[in-house]
Amino acid sequence: MAAAKGKVKAIAYLRTSSAANVGADKDSDKRQRAAITAYARANGFEVVDEFYDAAVSGRDPVAQRPGFAAMLERITGNGVRTVLIESPDRFARDLAIQLAGHDFLKSLDVTLIPTTAPDFFLEDTPTAVLVRQVLGAIAEFEKASTVAKLKAARERKRATGVKVEGRKSHAERTPDLVALARRLHRKDRKGSRRSLRDIAAELAAQGHVSNAGTALSPSVVRSLVSR
């Protein structure tokens, strides 16, 4: 279903919390659909698809919702970058989940518009700023906590006499490359050495290149020959 000429493509997202409000004889999805359709017509949008999370709590993280997940796949496949919802609470009940979900979509360059409050996610109210700061602080805490736990586990392992491996050196990861680089770096009969760039060029000629497919940088060659 293509968007009308001159209109912006959009996807409608609907959600109903209670299974008791889901069904042909219920009006939750009909009300949401009508609000989205009216807003789209009045503001130059063409709804090209719809996704519905029926009987899904507004407190459930958006990433755990089947309808939302299907919508993300559709967005990835067709390039639509606008999602219309009836209201912020149809997206999520909790402010933290609303903002986290919105920020996730924003990271994908997707605009989320509630028809009852189009600027809701654009306004940085004191409460919204506070919630984002708290969410960021929690994420940093979890990261630091994980790092600390891993460090403690390594130290406990070392205390038992077991070797704990860190990052492997070039000699351990690519012994053939190191050996070749060192041979090329040796002084010739006149006591001179090749430059690091010359060594990199020779290594490239023999198939030893960077992940980008280019010759190794002088600094990388230096690390190969200095160990």
Side-chain angles (χ1 to χ4, degrees):
M1 182 177 176
K5 186 176 180 180
K7 291 192 174 184
V8 178
K9 294 180 180 180
I11 288 176
Y13 176 70
L14 289 65
R15 183 191 63 78
T16 300
S17 297
S18 174
N21 292 325
V22 175
D25 59 333
K26 307 300 181 181
D27 67 351
S28 176
D29 62 319
K30 297 180 180 66
R31 185 197 69 246
Q32 295 178 60
R33 190 175 297 110
I36 291 171
T37 299
Y39 179 86
R41 288 175 177 169
N43 292 275
F45 292 99
E46 179 75 11
V47 177
V48 296
D49 212 337
E50 174 188 300
F51 293 88
Y52 183 27
D53 272 316
V56 172
S57 172
R59 292 183 174 83
D60 289 351
V62 293
Q64 297 177 11
R65 304 176 187 178
F68 189 87
M71 181 180 71
L72 289 182
E73 290 184 11
R74 176 74 158 88
I75 288 173
T76 301
N78 72 358
V80 174
R81 287 296 178 267
T82 302
V83 174
L84 301 179
I85 54 177
E86 180 196 24
S87 60
D89 66 332
R90 287 302 94 201
F91 184 58
R93 285 288 182 186
D94 291 350
L95 180 59
I97 295 177
Q98 284 180 4
L99 295 178
H102 166 259
D103 289 349
F104 173 66
L105 289 176
K106 186 177 179 181
S107 72
L108 301 177
D109 197 27
V110 174
T111 300
L112 179 66
I113 302 178
T115 64
T116 59
D119 295 330
F120 181 85
F121 290 109
L122 301 178
E123 297 176 347
D124 282 329
T125 63
T127 301
V129 171
L130 175 61
V131 170
R132 285 194 174 97
Q133 290 174 341
V134 170
L135 291 175
I138 290 174
E140 285 297 318
F141 171 77
E142 291 178 342
K143 179 180 178 180
S145 179
T146 299
V147 170
K149 288 177 181 178
L150 291 174
K151 181 180 179 182
R154 289 196 298 270
E155 291 177 348
R156 287 195 299 270
K157 198 170 183 179
R158 287 194 184 97
T160 65
V162 177
K163 180 182 178 181
V164 178
E165 291 188 357
R167 183 180 180 182
K168 291 184 177 180
S169 66
H170 281 296
E172 294 174 308
R173 289 185 283 118
T174 53
D176 294 341
L177 172 60
V178 172
L180 176 58
R182 288 177 177 175
R183 284 199 302 273
L184 295 172
H185 189 247
R186 290 172 187 163
K187 292 181 179 179
D188 59 20
R189 293 179 180 178
K190 296 181 180 180
S192 60
R193 297 182 189 274
R194 295 188 183 191
S195 70
L196 297 177
R197 291 188 182 279
D198 286 344
I199 295 174
E202 181 61 30
L203 292 174
Q206 298 192 37
H208 298 288
V209 294
S210 68
N211 291 334
T214 60
L216 300 174
S217 68
S219 61
V220 171
V221 174
R222 183 181 294 107
S223 71
L224 293 174
V225 301
S226 64
R227 293 179 179 273

